[in-house]
Amino acid sequence: MLEIKNLQASINNKSILKGLNLVIKPGELHAIMGPNGSGKSTLANVLSGKIGYEISGELNFRGEDLKKIPVEKRAQKGIFLAFQYPLEIPGVNTNIFLKTSLNSIRKSKGKQALDTLAFLKLVREKSSELGIDEEILSRQLNVGFSGGEKKKNEILQMKILDPNFSILDETDSGLDIDALKIVAKGVNSSRDSKKSFLVITHYQRLLDYIKPDFVHVLSDGKIIKTGCGELAQELEKTGYKKLN
Ligand code: ADP
Ligand code: MG
């Protein structure tokens, strides 16, 4: 699915990713942990195609060089990013945003656009699964949403767009335990042998509900340790300092 070799990324002359290697196969869920400022969000941004970074190294997604593919094409090819800090977009209705995103991806695959009724049926089903009050979907995107509503709305987008590769950047931060369980359930019910996930988190707690195939520790722009679920438990006890 994704092969990253010696990835280096810098922005405004600041080097952030410093030779990162990672291979994610179809069906796998990888968790990335690491101290603040280690480059986790930068990795998420670089994978999803945010502009402004100087990048070198290999970045292959399903056999294609991602570096040459612009952000909207990456979304069409099935890359999805749930933002650490979802943006409020005044003037953009949430339902219309979701429908437009979905139909633009469908169009790129030669599929017919969903009409309003079919879309509403889909959005109702997915939002009820995530315990999202439909009322918020008729509001402006993220405007006045609580922290938890913003994060759940990111997962709703994921469920509706049904990507092959989802990157969740600290989707668990700021969630209460019930919301965390709902988000985890949303992720778990999307997992299958073809889809892959990169879940960035600070807390082992999330990994009690979402079982990772691999856990990596990112520090100063590089993966310095890889393990399985137990590594997250170990880090919870010892912190990151011991690894440096
Ligand atoms: P993490 O998500 O692991 O906390 P980030 O990827 O957000 O870390 O940031 C890594 C480092 O890069 C931080 O020191 C941050 O200040 C710096 N950084 C991120 N974006 C920029 C930018 N646009 N300009 C300058 N420095 C940046
Ligand atoms: Mg971050």
Side-chain angles (χ1 to χ4, degrees):
M1 175 78 66
L2 180 71
E3 264 182 49
I4 304 176
K5 267 193 217 152
N6 194 24
L7 176 64
Q8 323 233 358
S10 56
I11 191 162
N12 301 331
N13 292 322
K14 183 180 159 70
S15 161
I16 304 175
L17 300 180
K18 303 173 182 172
L20 189 141
N21 298 299
L22 180 65
V23 176
I24 300 183
K25 299 205 171 113
E28 288 180 351
L29 187 144
H30 291 234
I32 292 218
M33 304 183 81
N36 291 320
S38 53
K40 303 182 298 297
S41 293
T42 301
L43 174 63
N45 291 340
V46 164
L47 291 175
S48 59
K50 186 171 174 190
I51 52 173
Y53 295 96
E54 275 202 36
I55 294 167
S56 69
E58 286 179 36
L59 208 53
N60 287 308
F61 179 68
R62 304 176 112 198
E64 281 186 282
D65 181 1
L66 259 193
K67 298 199 294 297
K68 298 194 180 126
I69 302 176
V71 60
E72 68 279 4
K73 287 264 171 350
R74 295 191 201 190
Q76 291 167 0
K77 287 178 185 295
I79 296 181
F80 173 81
L81 169 63
F83 290 112
Q84 179 170 6
Y85 303 110
L87 286 181
E88 299 193 359
I89 312 194
V92 174
N93 171 282
T94 305
N95 260 325
I96 292 177
F97 167 77
L98 290 169
K99 183 167 173 240
T100 309
S101 311
L102 174 63
N103 280 338
S104 118
I105 287 177
R106 287 178 68 91
K107 191 174 167 197
S108 74
K109 292 181 177 154
K111 288 187 187 166
Q112 252 196 339
L114 282 194
D115 63 24
T116 303
L117 268 182
F119 172 75
L120 282 178
K121 186 168 174 278
L122 176 71
V123 89
R124 274 200 187 120
E125 180 195 315
K126 303 294 180 195
S127 52
S128 93
E129 201 181 307
L130 293 166
I132 292 175
D133 186 344
E134 268 182 58
E135 182 268 334
I136 72 163
L137 303 178
S138 58
R139 287 173 20 201
Q140 301 174 76
L141 185 59
N142 289 320
V143 177
F145 288 21
S146 71
E149 284 168 345
K150 284 181 182 168
K151 295 295 180 97
K152 279 202 219 168
N153 192 43
E154 295 291 291
I155 299 299
L156 177 64
Q157 281 174 47
M158 182 186 88
K159 301 294 283 184
I160 287 180
L161 301 179
D162 196 25
N164 306 312
F165 178 51
S166 300
I167 307 160
L168 309 185
D169 191 358
E170 293 199 31
T171 300
D172 54 329
S173 291
L175 292 184
D176 62 42
I177 192 73
D178 294 332
L180 181 85
K181 283 184 189 167
I182 291 172
V183 162
K185 199 174 130 207
V187 172
N188 288 331
S189 64
S190 296
R191 288 177 80 171
D192 67 24
S193 61
K194 294 199 185 91
K195 294 195 178 97
S196 308
F197 295 82
L198 184 63
V199 176
I200 296 169
T201 180
H202 269 299
Y203 304 105
Q204 187 267 330
R205 192 177 71 159
L206 177 70
L207 306 179
D208 287 338
Y209 302 103
I210 297 176
K211 293 283 169 228
D213 297 297
F214 297 94
V215 175
H216 310 277
V217 179
L218 187 67
S219 175
D220 195 21
K222 275 191 201 141
I223 288 178
I224 57 162
K225 190 159 184 169
T226 292
C228 50
E230 280 93 67
L231 175 58
Q233 280 161 11
E234 207 180 293
L235 289 168
E236 185 81 7
K237 288 195 205 108
T238 59
Y240 297 113
K241 282 213 178 82
K242 275 206 168 161
L243 294 176
N244 289 324

